[in-house]
Short mmCIF file of all heavy atoms in Angstrom, two decimals:
data_model
loop_
_atom_site.label_atom_id
_atom_site.label_comp_id
_atom_site.label_asym_id
_atom_site.label_seq_id
_atom_site.Cartn_x
_atom_site.Cartn_y
_atom_site.Cartn_z
N MET A 219 44.13 105.57 109.87
CA MET A 219 44.01 105.70 108.43
C MET A 219 43.38 107.05 108.05
O MET A 219 42.48 107.52 108.74
CB MET A 219 43.11 104.57 107.90
CG MET A 219 43.15 104.45 106.41
SD MET A 219 42.53 102.84 105.89
CE MET A 219 40.92 103.32 105.34
N PHE A 220 43.92 107.68 107.03
CA PHE A 220 43.45 108.99 106.59
C PHE A 220 42.48 108.80 105.43
O PHE A 220 42.89 108.42 104.34
CB PHE A 220 44.67 109.83 106.16
CG PHE A 220 44.37 111.29 106.03
CD1 PHE A 220 44.18 112.06 107.16
CD2 PHE A 220 44.33 111.89 104.79
CE1 PHE A 220 43.92 113.42 107.05
CE2 PHE A 220 44.06 113.24 104.67
CZ PHE A 220 43.87 114.01 105.80
N THR A 221 41.21 109.04 105.67
CA THR A 221 40.20 108.80 104.62
C THR A 221 40.00 110.05 103.77
O THR A 221 40.39 111.16 104.17
CB THR A 221 38.86 108.40 105.24
OG1 THR A 221 38.38 109.51 106.00
CG2 THR A 221 38.99 107.18 106.13
N ILE A 222 39.35 109.87 102.64
CA ILE A 222 39.06 111.00 101.76
C ILE A 222 38.12 111.99 102.44
O ILE A 222 38.22 113.20 102.26
CB ILE A 222 38.50 110.50 100.40
CG1 ILE A 222 38.60 111.58 99.33
CG2 ILE A 222 37.06 110.03 100.53
CD1 ILE A 222 39.98 111.68 98.74
N GLU A 223 37.23 111.48 103.31
CA GLU A 223 36.31 112.37 104.05
C GLU A 223 37.09 113.26 105.00
O GLU A 223 36.79 114.44 105.16
CB GLU A 223 35.28 111.56 104.83
CG GLU A 223 34.22 110.89 103.97
CD GLU A 223 34.67 109.54 103.42
OE1 GLU A 223 35.76 109.05 103.79
OE2 GLU A 223 33.92 108.97 102.60
N MET A 224 38.11 112.67 105.65
CA MET A 224 38.95 113.45 106.56
C MET A 224 39.71 114.52 105.79
O MET A 224 39.86 115.66 106.25
CB MET A 224 39.93 112.54 107.30
CG MET A 224 39.26 111.62 108.30
SD MET A 224 40.35 110.28 108.83
CE MET A 224 41.56 111.17 109.79
N ALA A 225 40.18 114.16 104.60
CA ALA A 225 40.92 115.12 103.78
C ALA A 225 40.01 116.27 103.37
O ALA A 225 40.42 117.44 103.42
CB ALA A 225 41.48 114.42 102.55
N TYR A 226 38.78 115.96 102.97
CA TYR A 226 37.84 117.02 102.59
C TYR A 226 37.50 117.91 103.79
O TYR A 226 37.39 119.12 103.65
CB TYR A 226 36.55 116.43 102.00
CG TYR A 226 36.66 116.11 100.53
CD1 TYR A 226 36.41 114.84 100.05
CD2 TYR A 226 37.00 117.11 99.62
CE1 TYR A 226 36.50 114.55 98.70
CE2 TYR A 226 37.09 116.82 98.27
CZ TYR A 226 36.84 115.55 97.81
OH TYR A 226 36.94 115.28 96.48
N ALA A 227 37.33 117.30 104.96
CA ALA A 227 37.01 118.08 106.16
C ALA A 227 38.15 119.05 106.46
O ALA A 227 37.91 120.23 106.77
CB ALA A 227 36.76 117.15 107.33
N ARG A 228 39.38 118.56 106.37
CA ARG A 228 40.54 119.41 106.64
C ARG A 228 40.64 120.53 105.61
O ARG A 228 40.93 121.68 105.95
CB ARG A 228 41.82 118.55 106.62
CG ARG A 228 43.08 119.31 106.90
CD ARG A 228 43.12 119.80 108.32
NE ARG A 228 44.35 120.53 108.56
CZ ARG A 228 44.42 121.68 109.22
NH1 ARG A 228 43.35 122.19 109.78
NH2 ARG A 228 45.57 122.30 109.38
N MET A 229 40.35 120.20 104.35
CA MET A 229 40.40 121.20 103.29
C MET A 229 39.38 122.30 103.55
O MET A 229 39.68 123.48 103.38
CB MET A 229 40.13 120.51 101.95
CG MET A 229 40.46 121.35 100.75
SD MET A 229 40.34 120.43 99.22
CE MET A 229 38.59 120.05 99.19
N ARG A 230 38.18 121.90 103.99
CA ARG A 230 37.14 122.90 104.30
C ARG A 230 37.57 123.77 105.47
O ARG A 230 37.33 124.99 105.46
CB ARG A 230 35.82 122.21 104.61
CG ARG A 230 35.07 121.76 103.36
CD ARG A 230 33.64 121.36 103.66
NE ARG A 230 33.53 120.29 104.65
CZ ARG A 230 33.52 118.99 104.36
NH1 ARG A 230 33.59 118.60 103.11
NH2 ARG A 230 33.43 118.09 105.31
N GLU A 231 38.20 123.18 106.49
CA GLU A 231 38.68 123.98 107.63
C GLU A 231 39.70 125.01 107.17
O GLU A 231 39.64 126.18 107.57
CB GLU A 231 39.35 123.07 108.66
CG GLU A 231 38.40 122.21 109.47
CD GLU A 231 39.15 121.19 110.32
OE1 GLU A 231 40.38 121.33 110.49
OE2 GLU A 231 38.50 120.24 110.80
N LEU A 232 40.65 124.58 106.36
CA LEU A 232 41.68 125.49 105.87
C LEU A 232 41.09 126.58 105.00
O LEU A 232 41.50 127.73 105.08
CB LEU A 232 42.74 124.71 105.08
CG LEU A 232 43.60 123.76 105.90
CD1 LEU A 232 44.46 122.90 104.98
CD2 LEU A 232 44.48 124.53 106.87
N GLN A 233 40.10 126.23 104.19
CA GLN A 233 39.44 127.22 103.33
C GLN A 233 38.72 128.26 104.19
O GLN A 233 38.80 129.45 103.92
CB GLN A 233 38.46 126.52 102.40
CG GLN A 233 37.89 127.43 101.34
CD GLN A 233 38.94 127.91 100.36
OE1 GLN A 233 39.66 127.13 99.79
NE2 GLN A 233 39.03 129.21 100.18
N ALA A 234 38.02 127.80 105.22
CA ALA A 234 37.30 128.72 106.10
C ALA A 234 38.28 129.65 106.81
O ALA A 234 38.04 130.85 106.94
CB ALA A 234 36.49 127.92 107.13
N GLU A 235 39.40 129.10 107.25
CA GLU A 235 40.42 129.89 107.92
C GLU A 235 41.00 130.93 106.97
O GLU A 235 41.20 132.09 107.35
CB GLU A 235 41.54 128.96 108.41
CG GLU A 235 42.46 129.58 109.41
CD GLU A 235 43.48 128.59 109.93
OE1 GLU A 235 43.10 127.45 110.25
OE2 GLU A 235 44.66 128.97 109.99
N ALA A 236 41.25 130.54 105.73
CA ALA A 236 41.78 131.48 104.74
C ALA A 236 40.79 132.60 104.47
O ALA A 236 41.17 133.76 104.37
CB ALA A 236 42.10 130.73 103.45
N ASN A 237 39.50 132.26 104.39
CA ASN A 237 38.48 133.29 104.16
C ASN A 237 38.40 134.25 105.32
O ASN A 237 38.26 135.45 105.12
CB ASN A 237 37.12 132.63 103.92
CG ASN A 237 37.05 131.93 102.59
OD1 ASN A 237 37.83 132.23 101.68
ND2 ASN A 237 36.13 131.00 102.46
N ARG A 238 38.49 133.73 106.55
CA ARG A 238 38.45 134.60 107.73
C ARG A 238 39.63 135.56 107.73
O ARG A 238 39.48 136.74 108.02
CB ARG A 238 38.47 133.77 109.02
CG ARG A 238 37.10 133.28 109.43
CD ARG A 238 37.10 132.80 110.86
NE ARG A 238 38.08 131.75 111.10
CZ ARG A 238 37.87 130.46 110.92
NH1 ARG A 238 36.70 130.02 110.49
NH2 ARG A 238 38.82 129.57 111.16
N SER A 239 40.82 135.03 107.44
CA SER A 239 42.00 135.88 107.49
C SER A 239 41.99 136.93 106.39
O SER A 239 42.57 137.99 106.53
CB SER A 239 43.28 135.04 107.41
OG SER A 239 43.39 134.44 106.15
N ARG A 240 41.31 136.64 105.27
CA ARG A 240 41.21 137.62 104.19
C ARG A 240 40.29 138.76 104.61
O ARG A 240 40.55 139.92 104.33
CB ARG A 240 40.67 136.94 102.93
CG ARG A 240 41.26 137.53 101.68
CD ARG A 240 40.82 136.78 100.46
NE ARG A 240 40.64 135.35 100.74
CZ ARG A 240 40.05 134.52 99.92
NH1 ARG A 240 39.57 134.94 98.79
NH2 ARG A 240 39.92 133.25 100.23
N VAL A 241 39.18 138.41 105.30
CA VAL A 241 38.21 139.41 105.73
C VAL A 241 38.78 140.26 106.85
O VAL A 241 38.66 141.48 106.83
CB VAL A 241 36.90 138.72 106.19
CG1 VAL A 241 35.95 139.73 106.82
CG2 VAL A 241 36.23 138.04 105.01
N HIS A 242 39.44 139.63 107.82
CA HIS A 242 40.02 140.34 108.95
C HIS A 242 41.54 140.19 108.92
O HIS A 242 42.05 139.19 109.40
CB HIS A 242 39.50 139.77 110.27
CG HIS A 242 38.01 139.85 110.38
ND1 HIS A 242 37.34 141.03 110.57
CD2 HIS A 242 37.06 138.90 110.32
CE1 HIS A 242 36.05 140.78 110.61
NE2 HIS A 242 35.84 139.50 110.46
N PRO A 243 42.26 141.17 108.33
CA PRO A 243 43.72 141.05 108.30
C PRO A 243 44.27 140.92 109.72
O PRO A 243 43.72 141.47 110.65
CB PRO A 243 44.18 142.37 107.68
CG PRO A 243 42.98 143.01 107.12
CD PRO A 243 41.78 142.39 107.76
N SER A 244 45.35 140.19 109.84
CA SER A 244 45.87 139.91 111.17
C SER A 244 46.29 141.19 111.89
O SER A 244 46.82 142.12 111.28
CB SER A 244 47.06 138.96 111.08
OG SER A 244 48.13 139.61 110.44
N VAL A 245 46.05 141.22 113.17
CA VAL A 245 46.39 142.38 113.99
C VAL A 245 47.90 142.56 114.03
O VAL A 245 48.40 143.68 114.05
CB VAL A 245 45.83 142.19 115.42
CG1 VAL A 245 46.27 143.32 116.32
CG2 VAL A 245 44.31 142.10 115.37
N THR A 246 48.65 141.46 113.99
CA THR A 246 50.10 141.56 114.07
C THR A 246 50.66 142.32 112.88
O THR A 246 51.59 143.12 113.05
CB THR A 246 50.74 140.16 114.15
OG1 THR A 246 50.30 139.40 113.03
CG2 THR A 246 50.38 139.46 115.42
N ALA A 247 50.12 142.13 111.71
CA ALA A 247 50.60 142.85 110.53
C ALA A 247 50.33 144.35 110.69
O ALA A 247 51.19 145.17 110.37
CB ALA A 247 49.92 142.32 109.28
N GLU A 248 49.17 144.69 111.22
CA GLU A 248 48.83 146.10 111.44
C GLU A 248 49.74 146.70 112.50
O GLU A 248 50.20 147.83 112.36
CB GLU A 248 47.37 146.23 111.88
CG GLU A 248 46.39 145.93 110.78
CD GLU A 248 44.95 145.93 111.27
OE1 GLU A 248 44.71 146.43 112.38
OE2 GLU A 248 44.10 145.44 110.53
N ALA A 249 50.01 145.94 113.56
CA ALA A 249 50.86 146.43 114.63
C ALA A 249 52.28 146.67 114.10
O ALA A 249 52.91 147.66 114.46
CB ALA A 249 50.89 145.43 115.78
N ARG A 250 52.76 145.74 113.27
CA ARG A 250 54.10 145.88 112.69
C ARG A 250 54.19 147.14 111.84
O ARG A 250 55.16 147.89 111.93
CB ARG A 250 54.43 144.65 111.84
CG ARG A 250 55.65 143.93 112.35
CD ARG A 250 55.98 142.74 111.50
NE ARG A 250 54.99 141.68 111.72
CZ ARG A 250 54.47 140.92 110.78
NH1 ARG A 250 54.82 141.06 109.53
NH2 ARG A 250 53.59 140.00 111.07
N ALA A 251 53.17 147.40 111.04
CA ALA A 251 53.15 148.58 110.18
C ALA A 251 53.13 149.86 111.02
O ALA A 251 53.84 150.82 110.72
CB ALA A 251 51.94 148.53 109.26
N ALA A 252 52.36 149.85 112.08
CA ALA A 252 52.28 151.02 112.96
C ALA A 252 53.62 151.27 113.65
O ALA A 252 54.05 152.41 113.80
CB ALA A 252 51.18 150.80 114.01
N LYS A 253 54.27 150.19 114.06
CA LYS A 253 55.57 150.30 114.72
C LYS A 253 56.61 150.90 113.77
O LYS A 253 57.39 151.77 114.15
CB LYS A 253 56.03 148.92 115.18
CG LYS A 253 56.69 148.93 116.55
CD LYS A 253 57.17 147.56 116.95
CE LYS A 253 56.11 146.79 117.72
NZ LYS A 253 56.59 145.50 118.20
N LYS A 254 56.59 150.43 112.52
CA LYS A 254 57.52 150.94 111.51
C LYS A 254 57.29 152.43 111.31
O LYS A 254 58.23 153.21 111.24
CB LYS A 254 57.29 150.23 110.17
CG LYS A 254 58.27 149.16 109.86
CD LYS A 254 58.05 148.67 108.43
CE LYS A 254 58.56 147.26 108.28
NZ LYS A 254 58.21 146.70 106.98
N HIS A 255 56.03 152.81 111.20
CA HIS A 255 55.68 154.21 110.97
C HIS A 255 56.14 155.07 112.15
O HIS A 255 56.68 156.15 111.96
CB HIS A 255 54.17 154.34 110.77
CG HIS A 255 53.74 155.75 110.49
ND1 HIS A 255 54.06 156.40 109.32
CD2 HIS A 255 53.06 156.64 111.24
CE1 HIS A 255 53.57 157.62 109.38
NE2 HIS A 255 52.96 157.80 110.52
N ALA A 256 55.94 154.57 113.36
CA ALA A 256 56.33 155.32 114.56
C ALA A 256 57.84 155.48 114.60
O ALA A 256 58.36 156.55 114.94
CB ALA A 256 55.84 154.59 115.81
N ALA A 257 58.57 154.42 114.25
CA ALA A 257 60.04 154.49 114.26
C ALA A 257 60.52 155.50 113.21
O ALA A 257 61.47 156.24 113.46
CB ALA A 257 60.62 153.11 113.98
N ARG A 258 59.88 155.50 112.06
CA ARG A 258 60.28 156.42 110.99
C ARG A 258 60.02 157.87 111.42
O ARG A 258 60.86 158.75 111.20
CB ARG A 258 59.49 156.11 109.72
CG ARG A 258 60.31 156.30 108.48
CD ARG A 258 59.58 155.94 107.20
NE ARG A 258 59.15 154.55 107.19
CZ ARG A 258 57.93 154.14 106.89
NH1 ARG A 258 56.99 155.01 106.57
NH2 ARG A 258 57.63 152.86 106.89
N ALA A 259 58.89 158.11 112.07
CA ALA A 259 58.54 159.46 112.51
C ALA A 259 59.50 159.94 113.60
O ALA A 259 59.84 161.11 113.67
CB ALA A 259 57.10 159.46 113.03
N LYS A 260 59.97 159.01 114.43
CA LYS A 260 60.88 159.33 115.52
C LYS A 260 62.23 159.80 115.00
O LYS A 260 62.84 160.72 115.54
CB LYS A 260 61.08 158.08 116.38
CG LYS A 260 61.34 158.35 117.83
CD LYS A 260 61.49 157.03 118.55
CE LYS A 260 61.01 157.13 119.96
NZ LYS A 260 61.15 155.86 120.66
N LYS A 261 62.69 159.17 113.92
CA LYS A 261 64.01 159.47 113.37
C LYS A 261 64.10 160.91 112.85
O LYS A 261 65.15 161.52 112.91
CB LYS A 261 64.34 158.52 112.22
CG LYS A 261 64.74 157.15 112.68
CD LYS A 261 65.08 156.27 111.50
CE LYS A 261 65.35 154.85 111.96
NZ LYS A 261 65.54 153.94 110.84
N ARG A 262 62.98 161.42 112.34
CA ARG A 262 63.01 162.77 111.73
C ARG A 262 63.16 163.86 112.76
O ARG A 262 62.82 163.82 113.87
CB ARG A 262 61.71 163.00 110.96
CG ARG A 262 61.66 162.14 109.74
CD ARG A 262 60.44 162.48 108.94
NE ARG A 262 60.19 161.39 108.00
CZ ARG A 262 59.03 161.12 107.47
NH1 ARG A 262 57.99 161.83 107.79
NH2 ARG A 262 58.89 160.14 106.62
#
């Protein structure tokens, strides 16, 4: 059974995760941007 306490706990976990990801942008996004930039520089 899924209780309201479990729902609140999950909501808090998701909120904490969202706050962490806002403070520290994902490395994959930065890597993707760097890769794009490198590819663009190579073409010239």
Side-chain angles (χ1 to χ4, degrees):
M219 192 162 103
F220 195 73
T221 65
I222 198 80
E223 288 85 6
M224 290 165 69
Y226 276 123
R228 181 68 180 137
M229 193 172 65
R230 281 193 302 271
E231 287 171 15
L232 292 171
Q233 189 65 53
E235 195 176 315
N237 289 339
R238 276 196 303 274
S239 67
R240 214 175 326 168
V241 172
H242 301 288
S244 67
V245 175
T246 55
E248 290 174 14
R250 240 181 288 139
K253 221 182 269 184
K254 259 188 205 173
H255 182 69
R258 216 178 300 131
K260 211 179 211 180
K261 284 181 185 174
R262 291 185 197 156

